[in-house]
Amino acid sequence: MPSNFYTIIPHPIERKILLMPARDGWTLPVHNPTHNWSPQIESLVTAMREQLGIRMAVLYCVYLRIERADGERTSIDAIYATENLSPDWTPPEGARWASEDELGDMQLEASVEWVRPYIGAWFAEERSGVVPPLRPPWGRKGWYSAVEDWARSELAAQGIELLAPPTQIKQWDISSVLKAPTDSGDVYIKGIPTLFATEPRITVGLNNLFPAVVPRPLAIWERVDEGRLLLRDFGGKALWSKEMQPEAMVEALTLFARMQIKCVDRDDLLSEMGCRDRRLAGMPGSMRDLLADDSALHNFTEDEKARLRALMPAVESACEQLASGPIPQTLMHGDLHGGNIALNDDGYVIFDWTDACISHPFFDLLTIVDNGYVPLEAAYREQLISAYLGEWTARGYGSAEVLRATCDLALKLGPLYHAISYWQIIMACEPSMIAEIDSALPYYLKLALERLGQ
């Protein structure tokens, strides 16, 4: 079943949208991507440029439906609102601009009739001029041009020339990522929402501590409601690439453990960088808040909800045990996996510090060894854990037996840590985007039921 990315392309002046002729009516311009992940919009922007000759920017997702079979994604239907960046562009022959009233009298192709109410919602927002408060800055008109001007100015101050407008690579409520060519290589621009707006400052601070591992931004921009990062393309291959050898993750994990150990007893510095305080003392309260949110538990039966609430004594006990254990709370990446670690000619690069915080460091192991997406063979999983714990043992934090017991407890409690993370993200997202990350919360909560309920 193909995926369909539909676009609402507005007229540059009038309140009209572009419609394309179809066999038995009209349709929105559409692209059929080969992937089933909606934030990856580079192919959509490229397809519209190739099909229509138009330069546009994706603003936000109006509608998203993900089809699954046997737990795997099979297709996506999405509708994207866009900004027309080609004011003098002429539509191809047969296409037409249609107002809301004109659309009411037009016949849509039968297979896309379902899009009509979502187009209506777009027109309603345009009429009102009211932008939903949860919409991130890059979902608003003018942001794309503003961030291009910002990047061009920052690069020029360093003697670097931007050779072409940035191309959108990824776009969702959590971030916007663009790529642009310069006369000294490609650069990336990342827009960061309110929830994670300190990531630019965190990246600079961690680069100061670990210049060989964390990339140095060319420029940063931080406001209460938005952060921006301007980074060189550091190249290399992500560790989840098929051509990477398993040993690479073993080496990267040992390197990461050394970074965490170096940050022990530096909580004040981590806080100044912008790392959030997510220490164990606050975890039971956050869990109670999550369990009180019925919308967060819509995938659960009443029996499962009761079992989750019954976990609270175990949660409190596990938090107390870990907090009083041999491993101090310190730097956490928060989303450590093979997609956020690369290997280039200079070594390993650990990036995307969006979720960086102060908490129990062993929680970072969970997204490596039990992330739900890449099942690991038991022997390899054990190799990863042993290599990571070995760094802590070598630096006097306890015997192998003691640290393994601590790790086992952290891997039982860790799913709740990550469930709370996803819940906080969901609360900061527009409803249309929640479907893209909605499966992570029940995955981690059910994993917690399985492990803490033993």
Side-chain angles (χ1 to χ4, degrees), residues 143-160:
W143 182 86
Y144 183 90
S145 296
V147 83
E148 178 183 341
D149 290 345
W150 172 77
R152 191 181 298 277
S153 175
E154 292 290 345
L155 290 168
Q158 300 179 50
I160 302 171

Side-chain angles (χ1 to χ4, degrees), residues 230-246:
L230 182 60
L231 291 163
R232 289 188 185 276
D233 183 354
F234 46 75
K237 292 284 187 181
L239 295 202
W240 65 12
S241 301
K242 292 182 179 179
E243 57 264 43
M244 295 301 298
Q245 296 299 313

